[in-house]
Amino acid sequence: MKQQAKVVRFAVPEGRGEYGTQGEREMRRSNALLEETVRQRTAELERTNARLEESLRQLQIAQAQLLFAERLATIGQLAAGLGHEINNPLAFILGNLDYVQQQLARTSGAPSPEDSQEMMEALADARDGAERVRLIVRDLKVLSHPNDMELGPVDVVATLRGAAKVAAYEVRGRARLVEALDAVPPVNAHRARLCQVFLNLLINAAHAIPPGQATRNEIRLSARMDGTTRVLVEVSDTGCGISPGNLERIFSPFFTTKPVGVGTGLGLSVCHGIVTALGGDISVESEVGRGSTFRVSLPVYEASCIEVGSSRAA
């Protein structure tokens, strides 16, 4: 009798053959959902970035307008003094030209050598006065130039002297202006904004000294190299000084020790913003009753930095 072979059958759970296909469909569905989520999040981030960029642009515009407004406010405060500074040389010019005109009318022909010499001297004096007016107007033009973000090489010494000319009426009658300006390389800056910094520091120094004591006080401007890559500018005065409590807030917006209606309280805050935006530093050292020294450190223009380094190495 033959033994029959046993056939073993394994029970396949219902739907087992469809597991692979169903799993793939679920995975594809999950991947599609994930991709859609990523696309939505990416689009949302792009919209957020666009809003942030627009907000940053608006803030930059507002900052530029604030800097320009503060600069014009400073010029407005100096308007009377600037008119005096321009009026004096103009009166001098007109007086000398009137003299030459009268001399020519009197001689009614070829003047004598003595008369010619006097008229030549009068014309030279008139030309000097006109040059003084031209320089004042040039420095005012620099200050009133609209803001832009373009940086480049700026002559620190020329900018300091330009600011000193504009502030001359404020300084005169309060202190002697002393200059100790070394030949320094250009710094990487914006000329109008840098002039605004120096002008504000000069005006503050002048206002720290009571009028009528020019022989006993001085405001000192100095410029020198600080290492090989930075220029250090100092504006020092022998005025009333700043109390320790105020020193901590001296660069804060709208903080001022001046009477109400005098100044905007933004001068030093604006100076701090301009200098730090240029990659520089500004600091102050002061003692009550002995005066203050403001220090501005600025990076040398890169091409000049290379030249200074190579010349010193040689």
Side-chain angles (χ1 to χ4, degrees):
M1 183 174 178
K2 293 183 180 178
Q3 186 176 2
Q4 288 183 338
K6 292 183 178 179
V7 177
V8 179
R9 291 185 176 87
F10 294 96
V12 178
E14 188 178 352
R16 175 72 176 179
E18 298 178 357
Y19 271 19
T21 303
Q22 184 178 350
E24 289 174 1
R25 285 200 299 269
E26 290 294 334
M27 185 175 295
R28 284 196 295 270
R29 192 179 301 114
S30 297
N31 287 341
L33 181 61
L34 181 60
E35 289 175 1
E36 179 61 24
T37 302
V38 170
R39 279 195 295 270
Q40 290 177 358
R41 293 291 176 85
T42 302
E44 184 179 345
L45 285 174
E46 288 175 351
R47 289 192 294 270
T48 302
N49 285 338
R51 288 194 298 269
L52 287 173
E53 287 176 0
E54 177 61 19
S55 297
L56 178 60
R57 191 180 70 85
Q58 293 295 334
L59 284 173
Q60 289 173 338
I61 293 173
Q63 182 188 36
Q65 291 173 342
L66 176 63
L67 292 175
F68 191 46
E70 167 62 18
R71 196 185 310 159
L72 293 181
T74 302
I75 295 175
Q77 292 173 14
L78 297 173
L82 288 170
H84 186 78
E85 288 296 304
I86 293 174
N87 190 59
N88 275 352
L90 282 178
F92 191 63
I93 292 168
L94 292 172
N96 280 281
L97 291 178
D98 286 344
Y99 168 76
V100 172
Q101 185 179 30
Q102 291 169 7
Q103 286 294 94
L104 289 174
R106 183 179 62 82
T107 56
S108 65
S112 66
E114 293 79 8
D115 289 338
S116 295
Q117 181 63 28
E118 289 180 0
M119 285 188 286
M120 289 296 293
E121 290 175 357
L123 288 174
D125 289 341
R127 189 187 185 286
D128 289 342
E131 177 66 10
R132 183 176 173 187
V133 172
R134 186 188 71 83
L135 292 176
I136 293 173
V137 172
R138 181 201 65 184
D139 296 327
L140 278 175
K141 185 178 178 181
V142 169
L143 275 171
S144 60
H145 193 278
N147 278 305
D148 58 58
M149 300 304 292
E150 184 179 354
L151 302 181
V154 175
D155 187 332
V156 172
V157 173
T159 305
L160 268 172
R161 286 177 173 156
K165 287 188 185 75
V166 176
Y169 189 75
E170 293 291 323
V171 173
R172 190 181 301 120
R174 296 173 184 263
R176 292 171 289 108
L177 186 63
V178 179
E179 296 182 356
L181 306 174
D182 294 347
V184 295
V187 297
N188 190 36
H190 179 275
R191 188 181 176 192
R193 293 185 179 182
L194 194 57
C195 187
Q196 183 177 1
V197 170
F198 296 152
L199 180 59
N200 279 335
L201 295 181
L202 276 165
I203 292 173
N204 280 350
H207 289 177
I209 301 169
Q213 301 183 19
T215 57
R216 299 203 300 267
N217 289 283
E218 74 173 31
I219 295 174
R220 176 177 291 268
L221 299 180
S222 68
R224 64 179 183 274
M225 289 299 297
D226 183 12
T228 59
T229 61
R230 298 183 82 82
V231 172
L232 181 65
V233 174
E234 292 184 342
V235 179
S236 302
D237 65 73
T238 56
C240 59
I242 306 167
S243 68
N246 288 337
L247 271 177
E248 298 176 359
R249 299 183 293 163
I250 199 70
F251 294 113
S252 299
F254 303 109
F255 175 77
T256 180
T257 58
K258 297 177 181 178
V260 176
V262 179
T264 61
L266 288 172
L268 290 177
S269 174
V270 165
C271 289
H272 184 273
I274 292 174
V275 172
T276 53
L278 295 175
D281 301 300
I282 182 169
S283 60
V284 59
E285 181 180 327
S286 185
E287 185 177 346
V288 175
R290 296 183 66 86
S292 305
T293 297
F294 283 84
R295 296 184 177 90
V296 177
S297 175
L298 295 164
V300 169
Y301 186 68
E302 288 183 5
S304 300
C305 181
I306 296 172
E307 292 172 5
V308 170
S310 60
S311 63
R312 292 194 176 188

